[in-house]
Amino acid sequence: MVLFSLAIGLAPLLATAQLSGSVGPTTSFSTKSNHKVCNVLDYGSVADNLTDVGPAISSAWNECKEGGIVYIPSGDYAVETWVTLLAAAAHTTDFELFSSTSKGAVQGFGYEFHAKGSLSGARILRLADVSGFSVHDLALVDAPAFHFSLDTCSNGEVYNMAIRGGDSGGLNGIDVWSNNIWIHDVEVTNKGECVTVKAMAMPTPSTSTRNGAVCPKVDGDGVQLNNITTRNWKGTESNGAQRGPIKVSCANGAPCTDLTIEDFAMWVESGDKQTYVCHSAYGSGACLRDEDKHASYSTTVAVTAAPSGYSAATMASDLSSAFGTDSPIPIPAIPTSFYPGVTPYGALAGARSSSA
Ligand SMILES: *[C@@H]1O[C@H](CO)[C@@H](O)[C@H](O)[C@H]1NC(C)=O
Ligand SMILES: *[C@@H]1O[C@H](CO)[C@@H](O)[C@H](O)[C@H]1NC(C)=O
């Protein structure tokens, strides 16, 4: 079953500690839905898992883009044409994409591409130049390439999502190249990056993830990352000698500062050694250097016993084996906890309201 509602519209929200400003849509869902509802079934769509829903979404969007809800009722829809939604202005603001039942999913059937050796297909979802938005309560499954990318966006929140990809590198979960984005409570199962933050001007600490990986990618000396805390990472990595659990690699021309790695206890699934690598990164914890002067350096620390506090708690939805790349990947239920013993910041949308 697929159901998702899409909202754009016409109000100011929470500021979060580690962000540089408010995130999320600026108008409530109810205000938008009281304003106008554009149901894709009124624009030629049929929930028969055959008729292309793309043109109907575009038409519904055009009718509601000045404010309202684009509504996709419960059912299975096929998407054949890629849907590009452009607001009246050059960019979109005040946008919310979510499944009100938390059961909505986009199945990318990426295995059809991967089985033929291609890893360069489409992304399932891309937001570009969108500000004041949220994406939540959706599952994204088996993307031909990346599952979700955000570029040149700002003031966004991404949460309560499940992302499942094929068992290959390059099939990333969430790629972020944006400002002031809060990503939390997202389950990613894949073999590429889970959440990756790419180079863009980030003058302030602007991206925070919980229970995900932040992998700063820095070229030249144009980008500086600072004031990032990594806390309470517990679990295992498959081969810590070959690919250790900590690698903080910053540009010599722009060393990272004020980093903190604490309560970190990961250990190998096989072997008896793991490495921590730090490159021009300053702060406290692991191999970070705690100095006022920020000269270039590179260090690799070999760790030969499990860190104190190490545990690898399991969760009900843990998988016993990876998905391959040549058969369909089932749509997961969005979990109600994304880390052992941790309650998400917000309940699933499907638990908050019983009506679609
Ligand atoms: C780091 O971020 C925290 C949380 O936003 C903020 O309170 C603190 O002032 C920042 N520290 C520096 C050195 O910018
Ligand atoms: C929808 O169609 C696709 C492609 O033919 C098929 O693989 C999938 O199983 C169908 N979904 C349902 C729920 O029937």
Side-chain angles (χ1 to χ4, degrees):
M1 177 179 92
V2 176
L3 179 147
F4 61 93
S5 303
L6 190 106
I8 174 175
L10 324 167
L13 289 234
L14 37 131
T16 313
Q18 305 214 348
L19 299 162
S20 57
S22 307
V23 293
T26 48
T27 309
S28 73
F29 180 77
S30 58
T31 303
K32 288 171 185 166
S33 80
N34 288 336
H35 186 72
K36 191 170 185 180
V37 175
C38 300
N39 184 334
V40 293
L41 298 183
D42 297 332
Y43 298 88
S45 176
V46 187
D48 58 1
N49 192 27
L50 195 65
T51 308
D52 182 9
V53 72
I57 294 178
S58 294
S59 303
W61 175 274
N62 283 333
E63 287 297 310
C64 261
K65 69 184 178 185
E66 306 294 349
I69 305 287
V70 173
Y71 177 51
I72 303 177
S74 187
D76 288 299
Y77 299 84
V79 187
E80 203 173 317
T81 49
W82 291 104
V83 183
T84 302
L85 307 170
L86 293 174
H91 57 252
T92 304
T93 59
D94 194 7
F95 172 83
E96 183 173 5
L97 171 63
F98 72 106
S99 161
S100 60
T101 59
S102 305
K103 289 179 178 163
V106 183
Q107 169 59 271
F109 296 115
Y111 78 94
E112 292 180 5
F113 299 79
H114 308 150
K116 291 182 204 137
S118 166
L119 291 172
S120 57
R123 288 159 289 210
I124 289 182
L125 180 63
R126 176 181 177 217
L127 300 188
D129 195 15
V130 179
S131 66
F133 67 92
S134 66
V135 177
H136 58 100
D137 293 89
L138 267 185
L140 306 178
V141 182
D142 199 10
F146 297 172
H147 292 76
F148 184 9
S149 70
L150 300 100
D151 52 89
T152 58
C153 295
S154 60
N155 307 337
E157 184 176 7
V158 174
Y159 61 100
N160 293 354
M161 293 185 70
I163 295 176
R164 268 189 181 180
D167 191 33
S168 164
L171 306 177
N172 293 1
I174 304 180
D175 264 48
V176 188
W177 183 55
S178 291
N179 265 308
N180 198 38
I181 308 293
W182 187 25
I183 300 173
H184 60 95
D185 300 304
V186 176
E187 177 189 272
V188 181
T189 313
N190 66 350
K191 200 185 173 181
E193 325 286 351
C194 299
V195 177
T196 179
V197 180
K198 295 189 169 164
M200 184 174 165
M202 287 194 284
T204 53
S206 61
T207 300
S208 108
T209 72
R210 188 171 83 168
N211 312 334
V214 180
C215 316
K217 181 173 175 178
V218 181
D219 293 321
D221 54 12
V223 174
Q224 185 179 42
L225 297 167
N226 64 25
N227 203 359
I228 296 173
T229 297
T230 299
R231 185 184 296 124
N232 191 27
W233 284 21
K234 306 269 168 64
T236 62
E237 76 268 4
S238 64
N239 183 339
Q242 184 194 54
R243 212 169 191 190
I246 295 180
K247 186 169 183 186
V248 188
S249 192
C250 302
N252 290 340
C256 302
T257 55
D258 290 316
L259 306 184
T260 305
I261 299 176
E262 62 188 23
D263 200 9
F264 186 97
M266 291 186 60
W267 187 235
V268 298
E269 281 164 16
S270 62
D272 53 10
K273 183 182 138 179
Q274 65 187 17
T275 57
Y276 299 162
V277 177
C278 288
H279 190 98
S280 299
Y282 287 85
S284 66
C287 48
L288 298 171
R289 280 200 186 160
D290 195 357
E291 291 168 13
D292 293 337
K293 212 171 142 255
H294 301 146
S296 307
Y297 78 90
S298 195
T299 189
T300 299
V301 174
V303 178
T304 55
S308 73
Y310 163 70
S311 71
T314 57
M315 295 187 73
S317 59
D318 283 355
L319 300 163
S320 53
S321 62
F323 300 108
T325 50
D326 57 5
S327 52
I329 295 180
I331 293 171
I334 297 178
T336 50
S337 169
F338 296 81
Y339 197 74
V342 176
T343 306
Y345 283 97
L348 296 190
R352 284 199 295 257
S353 91
S354 50
S355 64

